[in-house]
């Protein structure tokens, strides 16, 4: 995954400006920093939860927004530091929950069905 000249802001307040990062294939990457430094925001941008305002994020030389959501979910998974776990679940199931793009669709569908 490659981040090119990424800029992002909330409510006209700039939080990230001209960020460039390249993550190595098949390697674990750790993002470390103080509270409020943008770690969670970066993960939300990398996983398509937030949409970038400037720059691009590429996966396999393709803009992440050019992937269909199912295809992107097969390639990218995020497991947050704190997860709410219900019932007796194994590690494989919990990691499966890290597939945020699919979970978002499921949650939207469930909310729609409960109305």
């Amino acid at each position: 995954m490659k981040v090119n000249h990424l800029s992002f802001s909330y409510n006209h307040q700039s939080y990230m400006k001209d960020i460039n990062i390249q993550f190595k294939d098949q390697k674990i990457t750790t993002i470390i920093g103080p509270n409020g430094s943008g770690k969670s925001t970066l993960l939300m941008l990398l996983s398509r939860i937030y949409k970038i305002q400037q720059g691009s994020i590429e996966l396999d030389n393709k803009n992440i927004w050019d992937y269909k959501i199912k295809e992107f979910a097969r390639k990218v998974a995020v497991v947050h530091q704190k997860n709410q776990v219900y019932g007796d679940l194994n590690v494989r199931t919990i990691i499966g929950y890290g597939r945020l793009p699919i979970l978002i669709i499921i949650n939207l569908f469930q909310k729609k069905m409960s109305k």
Side-chain angles (χ1 to χ4, degrees):
M1 187 172 269
K2 186 176 180 182
V3 177
N4 303 301
H5 304 288
L6 175 74
S7 294
F8 187 77
S9 58
Y10 294 122
N11 299 325
H12 308 291
Q13 172 74 25
S14 180
Y15 285 90
M16 294 184 182
K17 190 172 183 179
D18 200 30
I19 304 292
N20 295 289
I21 307 168
Q22 182 153 1
F23 299 100
K24 294 184 179 184
D25 289 345
Q26 304 298 315
K27 298 291 180 186
I28 295 173
T29 300
T30 304
I31 301 171
I32 301 171
N35 290 346
S37 64
K39 302 177 302 290
S40 295
T41 301
L42 179 60
L43 286 174
M44 295 296 213
L45 290 161
L46 295 173
S47 59
R48 292 181 23 164
I49 304 302
Y50 293 163
K51 190 154 175 92
I52 63 172
Q53 289 136 358
Q54 287 185 338
S56 66
I57 301 172
E58 298 174 359
L59 179 62
D60 298 331
N61 297 314
K62 182 177 178 179
N63 189 305
I64 62 170
W65 291 96
D66 292 340
Y67 284 96
K68 291 181 180 179
I69 196 154
K70 277 181 126 177
E71 183 183 9
F72 185 74
R74 283 187 201 105
K75 292 181 170 281
V76 175
V78 175
V79 179
H80 291 273
Q81 185 175 0
K82 294 181 181 179
N83 291 296
Q84 199 167 20
V85 179
Y86 300 100
D88 187 23
L89 302 175
N90 62 30
V91 172
R92 182 183 304 262
T93 302
I94 293 168
I95 289 173
Y97 286 159
R99 297 179 71 177
L100 285 175
I102 293 297
L103 287 179
I104 290 169
I105 293 171
I106 291 168
N107 287 336
L108 290 172
F109 178 75
Q110 288 174 342
K111 285 179 185 176
K112 188 175 183 179
M113 294 304 290
S114 67
K115 288 183 180 181

